[in-house]
């Protein structure tokens, strides 16, 4: 199974370097390990995150694409759907069997047809429209709801820091 | 299983089906239990499969769908055949959509994605090119290559029974992956797991059936659920006893709600109770520590030979009916505190009294529980090995020693009932008065009756293992033990029923008469005084 994962990841990496997608760039952290990727996400224009260059690591399981990778911001990030340790919490990164309570529709969750590209597009869309219904960072979600100016200020600090790196 | 062979075991709707084999799950076929057992039925794997097949067959015929679709429909509606039919004929398309079946109009709207068999297509997972066929999509035109299908399915099987609801991998596609398709790509162990999930689903998704709680036991218990929420004691052939309604230890005559309260209370108070749980007590005469290694409450110190009662540490000669004493161990008297105390003292006394009251009931509940465990262990040992030895020693075929097993099963069962009468007493006998007096009287009577049976098994039977006895002696013992077993069984059955009904008629003159006559006469054999008077 892991052979399939290696082939598929190499294919996606090649495809992305040949035809880059606007909004992010991707590469391997270590050229000998195709399971760990380094991603650079541009803060989407016309959002609080505009101008930021956020670095994140993407780690794929050996049984990819049957199970999803995990994505963790390395740059500091203040967002309702990102844990304090940088881990991204969005529904398509959840295994299909992950959610016994049924908060998420099965079709919003991971499926092997998802790719690095679709994940990145989901993350970019998450930056544009935070979902404070199922927050990973409760403090950020609360501030987003109750004190938008304060939230904005914290985000612009993150944006500034990300530019320095 | 000991289910009657060839029983017509498929018609749920007939309440009179096969009376003879209802709940007859004890391997030995012994009918020792004091509670009614006609409310449930134990089914082994074969019988579960048969019932599942029967339901699927019915739906397949009526709705003209495949067996796999019928299974899926039944799962969606909790294996209720009537509901499947009602919902289907109410809104067939809606149900098809909800359950993920192919639309009935054979020209699907996804037709745009459909390609001819053999056409080269790209797998949306790995981007490999491969020829499309009817085995590369599930009727929706989303084609995936064989490698990706098997990876997808293997992964889903490892996630558990949710594989039965697996949909097409394409984002947003709700078409279910049918079983034949899954089987095509699953090999060996994974395919077997799929089968297991499928037959287990008849129990997992069916509110009328539950798994036996015994470790490693795969028996399903079907309840004929007219009782509503009430407790249903289930005795499975594996030896496990549990309440069908709440999955706790079997607990009649107490209701499920009280059991839950009692168990929560026990775990909350467990710190206070630790000292009780310690297994030893000092001998009341010589103070040497004594461990209770048999179920009977009658203790004899192995050193100083002092005979005493494990419950109250009082002299045994003051107990039991033989010696004309009074079996008073189950009584909790609130008499100790008296007038003339300050508010603070009164409060402290009240707190102390409440703890003492709880301790009283808990100690007895736990002691009978331990005896129950011991009785079950003894029974297992007897059944597996000792019975053969007894047969050898007494020159009797094992088939004729069933009376020993019956007696021992009866003891285990009665310990359980007695245990729960203390939970019952704690919650339902809060006020002093005739009801409580009467309750304690029948409880005490039940205890002393059971002690006789326990003693017969633990002491008298033991002699037949060690000494040479005549055939006549053994026949005599058989008669006595069988008689005792019957007496105890009758007594407990009546007691459970009446406690469940809340002791009807108590408070009347009749009961007063019973209470007054309660002091047992010497040498009086145990009998059913109470039920005779109450009738």
């Amino acid at each position: 199974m892991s052979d399939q994962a290696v082939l598929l990841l190499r294919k996606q990496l090649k495809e992305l370097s040949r035809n880059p997608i606007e909004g992010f760039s991707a590469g391997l952290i270590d050229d000998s390990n195709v399971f760990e990727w380094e991603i650079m996400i541009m803060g989407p224009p016309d959002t609080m995150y505009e101008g930021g260059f956020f670095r994140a690591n993407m780690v794929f399981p050996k049984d990819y694409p049957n199970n999803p990778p995990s994505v963790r911001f390395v740059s500091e990030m203040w967002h309702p759907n990102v844990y304090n340790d940088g881990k991204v919490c969005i529904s398509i990164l959840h295994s299909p069997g992950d959610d016994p309570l049924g908060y998420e529709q099965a079709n919003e969750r991971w499926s092997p047809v998802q790719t690095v590209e679709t994940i990145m597009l989901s993350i970019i869309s998450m930056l544009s429209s935070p979902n404070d219904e199922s927050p990973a960072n409760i403090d950020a979600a609360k501030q987003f709801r109750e004190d938008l100016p304060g939230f904005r200020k914290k985000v612009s600090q993150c944006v500034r820091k990300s530019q320095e790196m | 299983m000991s289910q009657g062979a060839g029983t017509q075991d498929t018609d749920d709707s007939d309440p009179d089906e096969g009376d003879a084999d209802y709940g007859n799950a004890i391997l030995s076929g012994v009918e020792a239990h004091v509670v009614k057992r006609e409310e449930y039925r134990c089914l082994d794997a074969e019988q579960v499969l048969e019932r599942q097949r029967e339901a699927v067959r019915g739906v397949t015929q009526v709705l003209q769908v495949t067996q796999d679709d019928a299974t899926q429909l039944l799962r969606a509606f909790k294996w209720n055949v009537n509901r499947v039919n009602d919902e289907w004929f109410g809104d067939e398309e809606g149900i098809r959509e909800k359950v993920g079946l192919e639309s009935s109009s054979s020209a699907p709207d996804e037709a745009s994605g459909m390609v001819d068999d053999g056409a080269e297509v790209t797998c949306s997972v790995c981007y490999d090119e491969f020829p499309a066929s009817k085995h590369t999509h599930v009727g929706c035109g989303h084609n995936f290559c064989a490698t990706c299908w098997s990876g997808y399915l293997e992964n889903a099987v490892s996630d558990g029974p949710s594989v039965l609801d697996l949909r097409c991998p394409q984002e947003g596609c709700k078409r279910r992956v049918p079983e034949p398709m899954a089987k095509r790509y699953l090999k060996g162990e994974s395919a077997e797991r799929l089968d297991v999930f499928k037959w287990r689903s008849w129990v997992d998704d069916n509110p009328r059936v539950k798994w036996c709680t015994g470790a490693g036991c795969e028996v399903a218990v079907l309840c004929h659920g007219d009782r509503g929420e009430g407790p249903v004691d289930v005795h499975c052939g594996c030896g496990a006893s549990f309440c069908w309604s709440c999955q706790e230890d079997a607990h009649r005559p107490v209701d499920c709600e009280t059991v839950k309260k009692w168990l929560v209370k026990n775990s909350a108070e467990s710190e206070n109770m630790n000292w009780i749980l310690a297994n030893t007590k000092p001998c009341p005469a010589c103070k040497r520590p004594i461990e209770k290694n048999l179920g009977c409450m009658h203790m004899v110190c192995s050193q100083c030979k002092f005979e005493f009662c494990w419950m109250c540490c009082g002299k045994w000669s003051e107990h039991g009916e033989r010696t004309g004493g009074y079996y008073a161990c189950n009584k909790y008297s609130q008499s100790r505190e008296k007038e003339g105390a300050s508010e603070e003292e009164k409060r402290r006394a009240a707190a102390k009294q409440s703890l003492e009251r709880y301790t009283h009931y808990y100690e007895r509940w736990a002691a009978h529980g331990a005896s129950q465990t011991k009785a079950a262990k003894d029974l297992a040992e007897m059944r597996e090995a000792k019975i053969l030895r007894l047969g050898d020693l007494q020159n009797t075929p094992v088939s004729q020693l069933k009376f020993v097993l019956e007696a021992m099963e009866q003891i285990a069962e009665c310990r359980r009932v007695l245990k729960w009468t203390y939970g019952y007493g704690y919650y339902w006998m809060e006020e002093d008065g005739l009801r409580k007096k009467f309750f304690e009287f029948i409880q005490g009577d039940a205890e002393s009756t059971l002690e006789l049976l326990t003693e017969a098994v633990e002491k008298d039977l033991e002699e037949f293992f060690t000494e040479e006895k005549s055939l006549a002696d053994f026949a005599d013992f058989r008669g006595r033990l069988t008689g005792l077993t019957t007496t105890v069984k009758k007594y407990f059955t009546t007691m459970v029923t009446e406690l469940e009904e809340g002791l009807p008629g108590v408070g009347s003159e009749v009961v007063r008469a019973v209470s007054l006559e309660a002091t047992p006469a010497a040498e009086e054999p145990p009998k059913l005084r109470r039920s005779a008077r109450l009738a």
Side-chain angles (χ1 to χ4, degrees):
Chain A
M1 241 208 270
S2 113
D3 287 348
Q4 192 201 7
V6 172
L7 284 174
L8 190 52
L9 287 169
R10 288 209 184 286
K11 202 184 256 175
Q12 291 192 27
L13 188 63
K14 211 155 118 198
E15 182 64 24
L16 280 171
S17 56
R18 210 180 296 153
N19 305 310
I21 311 277
E22 201 175 330
F24 74 95
S25 62
L28 296 183
I29 296 176
D30 167 357
D31 279 339
S32 67
N33 182 1
V34 76
F35 289 97
E36 294 185 13
W37 291 34
E38 189 175 47
I39 311 283
M40 178 73 84
I41 303 168
M42 267 70 82
D46 303 321
T47 69
M48 294 179 224
Y49 298 91
E50 180 170 7
F53 294 94
F54 301 103
R55 291 201 308 149
N57 289 344
M58 200 181 240
V59 178
F60 295 87
K62 297 281 177 239
D63 59 358
Y64 180 82
N66 288 311
N67 275 303
S70 66
V71 180
R72 187 184 300 265
F73 278 100
V74 181
S75 309
E76 198 178 309
M77 180 47 89
W78 186 248
H79 189 285
N81 307 112
V82 178
Y83 285 99
N84 279 327
D85 66 354
K87 196 172 173 219
V88 177
C89 177
I90 51 175
S91 61
I92 71 157
L93 292 182
H94 291 183
S95 307
D98 239 17
D99 186 30
L101 296 173
Y103 283 126
E104 293 155 1
Q105 292 278 306
N107 58 15
E108 288 172 355
R109 282 184 254 138
W110 179 256
S111 149
V113 295
Q114 306 286 4
T115 59
V116 174
E117 183 184 334
T118 61
I119 295 168
M120 292 321 297
L121 292 177
S122 292
I123 292 178
I124 290 168
S125 123
M126 171 198 89
L127 291 178
S128 326
S129 44
N131 168 15
D132 59 352
E133 294 293 308
S134 63
N137 183 338
I138 291 165
D139 294 334
K142 210 171 156 221
Q143 198 184 29
F144 177 73
R145 224 182 278 189
E146 293 166 7
D147 173 22
L148 202 56
F151 183 83
R152 216 179 272 278
K153 207 170 143 196
K154 278 206 114 165
V155 170
S156 55
Q157 277 168 11
C158 294
V159 169
R160 215 169 316 123
K161 274 191 191 164
S162 78
Q163 292 163 336
E164 287 162 9
M165 283 167 65
Chain B
M1 298 303 302
S2 67
Q3 229 88 29
T7 310
Q8 284 307 310
D9 201 18
T10 45
D11 186 2
D12 287 356
S13 59
D14 179 9
D16 293 318
E17 55 177 341
D19 277 343
D21 78 339
Y22 263 118
N24 185 12
I26 297 295
L27 287 168
S28 61
V30 174
E31 280 281 351
H33 301 291
V34 299
V35 290
K36 289 180 285 176
R37 305 202 303 167
E38 67 276 15
E39 292 165 323
Y40 67 90
R41 176 189 285 253
C42 292
L43 305 171
D44 62 19
E46 207 39 59
Q47 289 165 323
V48 166
L49 260 178
E50 186 42 52
R51 293 205 171 213
Q52 187 175 34
R53 276 191 212 115
E54 181 70 18
V56 170
R57 209 175 301 142
V59 170
T60 313
Q61 280 164 4
V62 176
L63 305 189
Q64 300 291 313
V65 293
T66 65
Q67 286 199 3
D68 183 50
D69 287 353
T71 309
Q72 199 58 17
L73 285 163
L74 281 161
R75 288 187 58 240
F77 296 107
K78 307 198 175 307
W79 293 95
N80 184 333
V81 176
N82 294 336
R83 249 195 88 199
V84 170
N85 291 340
D86 289 352
E87 300 270 348
W88 181 267
F89 292 118
D91 175 19
E92 181 181 329
E93 275 311 305
I95 300 302
R96 279 182 182 274
E97 161 101 15
K98 185 178 163 212
V99 181
L101 311 186
E102 204 161 340
S103 171
S104 58
S105 50
S106 52
D109 43 2
E110 299 99 328
S112 52
M114 287 290 197
V115 291
D116 293 334
D117 278 7
E120 281 287 305
V121 287
T122 306
C123 171
S124 332
V125 172
C126 66
Y127 307 114
D128 275 347
E129 309 249 309
F130 66 97
S133 78
K134 64 178 194 292
H135 303 305
T136 54
H137 66 96
V138 287
C140 52
H142 301 125
N143 287 290
F144 301 93
C145 72
T147 318
C148 289
W149 266 118
S150 71
Y152 184 62
L153 282 157
E154 288 284 347
N155 186 62
V157 167
S158 67
D159 275 347
S162 62
V163 65
L164 297 172
D165 295 314
L166 193 68
R167 306 293 166 113
C168 163
Q170 186 62 42
E171 205 181 350
C173 182
K174 289 188 171 150
R175 185 62 56 78
R176 182 179 160 264
V177 180
E179 195 201 355
M181 178 80 168
K183 278 289 181 59
R184 189 179 176 83
Y185 292 108
L186 289 171
K187 296 278 165 290
E189 220 173 277
S190 307
E192 280 166 28
R193 282 192 75 189
L194 188 69
D195 284 338
V196 171
F197 292 146
K198 193 175 142 198
W199 80 257
R200 289 184 72 94
S201 86
W202 185 78
V203 181
D204 291 337
D205 303 328
N206 191 337
R208 290 173 59 217
V209 192
K210 287 176 185 169
W211 294 110
C212 168
T213 58
C217 179
E218 290 215 318
V219 164
V221 185
L222 172 69
C223 190
H224 292 278
D226 292 335
R227 263 184 93 90
E229 303 290 292
V232 179
D233 283 1
V234 172
H235 304 278
C236 175
C238 74
S241 294
F242 63 99
C243 170
W244 194 88
S245 304
C246 69
Q247 314 270 286
E248 290 293 350
D249 177 29
H251 57 68
R252 285 183 70 194
V254 189
D255 60 286
C256 300
E257 202 47 42
T258 306
V259 166
K260 205 169 133 204
K261 267 198 313 204
W262 176 251
L263 293 176
V264 166
K265 184 165 180 64
N266 289 350
S267 63
E269 302 262 1
S270 61
E271 285 307 309
N272 291 335
M273 291 303 124
N274 277 346
W275 62 275
I276 292 169
L277 287 174
N279 289 315
T280 65
K281 282 185 180 182
C283 163
C286 68
K287 308 293 175 210
R288 286 188 182 89
I290 287 180
E291 184 189 10
K292 186 165 176 299
N293 59 349
L294 294 175
C296 176
M297 300 301 163
H298 179 185
M299 305 297 292
V300 184
C301 175
S302 58
Q303 300 306 306
C304 72
K305 306 294 175 205
F306 180 69
E307 296 188 30
F308 65 100
C309 163
W310 177 259
M311 293 290 197
C312 67
C313 291
K315 277 189 197 166
W316 189 254
S317 55
E318 289 165 6
H319 286 72
E321 314 204 23
R322 274 180 307 180
T323 43
Y326 190 76
Y327 197 90
C329 255
N330 63 327
K331 284 211 169 38
Y332 177 71
S333 138
Q334 296 192 340
S335 63
R336 262 156 290 174
E337 95 287 7
K338 279 285 163 265
E339 71 295 318
S342 72
E343 275 307 300
E344 169 66 19
E345 275 174 328
K346 271 189 192 153
R347 226 181 24 244
R348 205 178 290 170
K352 187 164 172 246
Q353 196 207 319
S354 134
L355 181 64
E356 269 180 6
R357 180 171 180 274
Y358 168 66
T359 309
H360 168 88
Y361 286 100
Y362 180 80
E363 199 169 14
R364 281 153 184 78
W365 179 83
H368 280 299
S371 293
Q372 179 199 342
T373 314
K374 175 80 173 71
K377 201 174 135 235
D378 288 348
L379 172 63
E381 277 171 13
M382 179 62 76
R383 189 174 278 158
E384 277 155 26
K386 284 175 80 178
I387 193 106
L388 295 173
R389 222 170 75 227
L390 186 66
D392 276 355
L393 284 167
Q394 306 302 328
N395 279 324
T396 312
V398 170
S399 61
Q400 288 184 28
L401 294 174
K402 241 163 70 174
F403 73 98
V404 174
L405 296 178
E406 282 173 29
M408 295 181 80
E409 282 187 2
Q410 193 62 54
I411 292 172
E413 177 65 11
C414 290
R415 289 281 174 210
R416 199 182 56 63
V417 171
L418 272 179
K419 175 175 88 173
W420 284 110
T421 61
Y422 284 98
Y424 186 97
Y426 183 78
Y427 286 104
W428 298 104
M429 296 293 154
E430 288 185 56
E431 284 150 42
D432 272 331
L434 260 185
R435 255 183 102 245
K436 185 176 171 192
K437 238 184 195 153
F438 183 65
F439 167 73
E440 286 179 346
F441 165 67
I442 54 174
Q443 191 184 37
D445 217 22
E447 277 176 346
S448 54
T449 310
L450 179 59
E451 289 309 318
L452 285 179
L453 181 61
T454 311
E455 211 167 310
V457 169
E458 288 185 351
K459 301 223 171 74
D460 302 351
L461 178 62
E462 220 42 47
E463 290 177 11
F464 290 96
F465 279 101
T466 49
E467 292 165 41
E468 229 172 277
K469 296 262 187 175
S470 68
L471 266 177
D473 277 348
F474 193 65
D476 186 43
F477 173 70
R478 174 206 298 270
R480 199 155 58 83
L481 196 60
T482 313
L484 268 174
T485 309
T486 315
T487 309
V488 167
K489 180 180 173 178
K490 268 196 197 149
Y491 195 108
F492 274 73
T493 310
T494 318
M495 179 173 79
V496 164
T497 318
E498 296 207 353
L499 287 181
E500 279 186 335
E501 286 163 7
L503 296 175
V506 177
S508 68
E509 289 305 306
V510 185
V511 178
R512 186 185 297 275
V514 175
S515 306
L516 292 176
E517 286 167 29
T519 316
E523 305 301 328
E524 187 189 349
K527 49 183 189 190
L528 295 167
R529 274 169 268 145
R530 189 177 54 86
S531 53
R533 299 259 155 78
L534 272 182

